[in-house]
């Protein structure tokens, strides 16, 4: 049956809104570090690719609160499993798709405290209102480092998340916002969904991530540079691929071409489970 799958990759922050069963997804603003918000739709819409410049114009105009809705809405709310795996070394068919594979810098695997957030660091913030949200692929096993401490073998982490929307009855996924005059602006609206399955990628990566060698070095520090303030350099975590002994990759391993994302150790989303709303 036709469905729409929307994959998110790159630098972003995900937060569940437990009050209404929805999620917020904030794009980390890092254009000065060559991370550009891009949206690709396959098959392409009649108007062709969505220009990066248009997305930036929306943000520059202050339109930073976006919503991903389904018209008409049949089953409001997001289905998800946030359980953290019992062991990050052992992915199973039961927990493969859980969001708990995402990194949460505030839980007891990392800082184990609430971190201070910079304001306006996430632009735009997208509210996800309907569908099933899941880990779509996982990285190789990684080591974490903190300051000058020796690397710690951590295990598998999320390399991308996806939202699946049932469109078998012709429901139309719509990403958009209301401008300063209260007028609805559609960034995209997917039609013909009763007979066409769409794949959409929303990614915040360097432009040369499209089939080109990704930039050298980790981008994980940008979460501290731009979003979590007050963490001293020697307390910051970073990630690198675990080398010795070799760990067999998970069944749903992200390869370098997965949804046009770069190496997931350099760019990857993180999870926040509490605190104030993102937007």
């Amino acid at each position: 049956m036709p469905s729409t799958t929307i994959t998110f990759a790159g630098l972003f922050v995900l937060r569940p809104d437990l009050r209404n069963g929805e999620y917020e997804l904030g794009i980390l603003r890092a254009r000065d570090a060559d991370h550009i918000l891009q949206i690709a739709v396959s098959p392409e819409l009649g108007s062709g690719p969505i220009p990066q410049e248009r997305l930036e114009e929306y943000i520059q105009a202050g339109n930073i609160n976006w919503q991903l809705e389904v018209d008409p809405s049949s089953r409001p709310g997001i289905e998800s499993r946030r359980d953290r795996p019992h062991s990050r070394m052992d992915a199973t068919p039961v927990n493969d798709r859980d969001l708990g594979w995402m990194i949460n810098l505030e839980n007891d695997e990392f800082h184990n405290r609430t971190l201070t957030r910079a304001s306006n660091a996430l632009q735009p913030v997208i509210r996800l209102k309907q569908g099933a949200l899941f880990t779509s692929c996982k990285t190789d096993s990684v080591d974490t480092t903190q300051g000058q401490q020796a690397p710690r073998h951590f295990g598998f982490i999320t390399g991308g998340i996806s939202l699946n929307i049932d469109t078998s009855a012709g429901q139309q996924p719509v990403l958009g916002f209301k401008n300063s005059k209260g007028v609805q602006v559609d960034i995209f609206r997917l039609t013909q969904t009763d007979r066409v399955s769409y794949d959409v990628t929303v990614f915040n990566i360097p432009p040369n991530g499209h089939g080109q060698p990704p930039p050298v070095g980790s981008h994980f520090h940008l979460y501290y540079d731009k979003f979590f303030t007050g963490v001293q350099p020697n307390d910051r975590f970073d990630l690198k691929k675990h080398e010795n002994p070799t760990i067999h990759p998970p069944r749903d391993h992200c390869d370098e071409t997965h949804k046009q994302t770069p190496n997931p150790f350099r760019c990857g989303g993180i999870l926040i489970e509490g605190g104030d709303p993102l937007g």
Side-chain angles (χ1 to χ4, degrees):
M1 293 190 298
S3 65
T4 293
T5 301
I6 302 174
T7 296
F8 300 91
L11 297 178
F12 68 86
V13 179
L14 182 70
R15 176 186 178 274
D17 185 344
L18 301 179
R19 296 172 303 173
N20 52 24
E22 299 176 351
Y23 274 79
E24 298 175 300
L25 189 144
I27 302 297
L28 187 68
R29 182 77 170 170
R31 287 180 67 87
D32 58 339
D34 295 326
H35 285 69
I36 308 299
L37 174 61
Q38 303 155 70
I39 299 176
V41 181
S42 178
E44 283 190 356
L45 304 177
S47 55
I50 300 173
Q52 300 172 21
E53 297 79 7
R54 183 187 304 164
L55 301 177
E56 178 62 14
E57 288 174 1
Y58 294 150
I59 296 169
Q60 290 285 353
N63 300 303
I64 58 175
N65 295 309
W66 299 1
Q67 296 198 62
L68 180 58
E69 301 182 280
V70 181
D71 183 21
S73 177
S74 57
R75 295 184 61 185
I78 298 291
E79 301 174 25
S80 68
R81 288 173 53 96
R82 299 196 313 277
D83 296 343
R84 199 165 76 190
H86 177 71
S87 169
R88 286 188 176 273
M89 317 296 178
D90 183 25
T92 71
V94 174
N95 67 17
D96 264 344
R97 293 160 64 96
D98 291 357
L99 293 180
W101 294 100
M102 295 187 74
I103 283 177
N104 181 344
L105 284 174
E106 296 181 323
N107 71 12
D108 58 6
E109 293 179 304
F110 291 92
H111 293 285
N112 198 27
R113 63 183 176 90
T114 301
L115 302 176
T116 303
R117 307 178 195 172
S119 59
N120 300 318
L122 304 176
Q123 297 184 8
V125 173
I126 306 171
R127 179 163 287 272
L128 310 179
K129 299 180 71 68
Q130 184 174 324
L133 190 64
F134 59 95
T135 287
S136 53
C137 71
K138 290 187 282 297
T139 71
D140 291 305
S141 195
V142 303
D143 290 341
T144 61
T145 61
Q146 186 180 28
Q148 302 302 312
Q149 298 179 19
R152 171 175 61 115
H153 188 193
F154 187 69
F156 303 133
I157 61 173
T158 294
I161 65 170
S162 293
L163 180 70
N164 183 261
I165 302 171
D166 178 10
T167 57
S168 58
Q171 301 95 326
Q172 298 184 0
V174 183
L175 177 64
F177 59 86
K178 289 188 177 179
N179 64 19
S180 59
K181 298 180 180 179
V183 176
Q184 174 69 23
V185 177
D186 290 349
I187 298 170
F188 67 71
R189 176 182 288 269
L190 304 182
T191 60
Q192 304 179 14
T193 50
D194 56 338
R195 56 186 183 277
V196 176
S197 289
Y198 288 92
D199 284 299
V200 180
T201 310
V202 179
F203 43 112
N204 184 27
I205 62 174
N208 61 356
H210 296 275
Q212 301 296 324
V216 176
S218 171
H219 296 165
F220 199 74
H221 65 92
L222 291 170
Y223 287 112
Y224 294 105
D225 294 348
K226 301 197 173 284
F227 185 57
F228 291 123
T229 61
V231 181
Q232 297 303 309
N234 202 48
D235 292 329
R236 297 180 175 188
F237 286 91
D238 206 345
L239 307 174
K240 67 175 185 177
K241 182 179 178 180
H242 180 78
E243 298 289 355
N244 189 27
T246 301
I247 305 296
H248 194 272
R251 289 179 295 274
D252 57 346
H253 178 239
C254 305
D255 61 27
E256 290 295 317
T257 60
H258 177 77
K259 297 295 185 184
Q260 305 185 63
T261 64
N263 189 321
F265 313 127
R266 303 186 179 107
C267 289
I270 63 173
L271 178 69
I272 289 178
E273 295 186 274
D276 295 331
L278 301 182

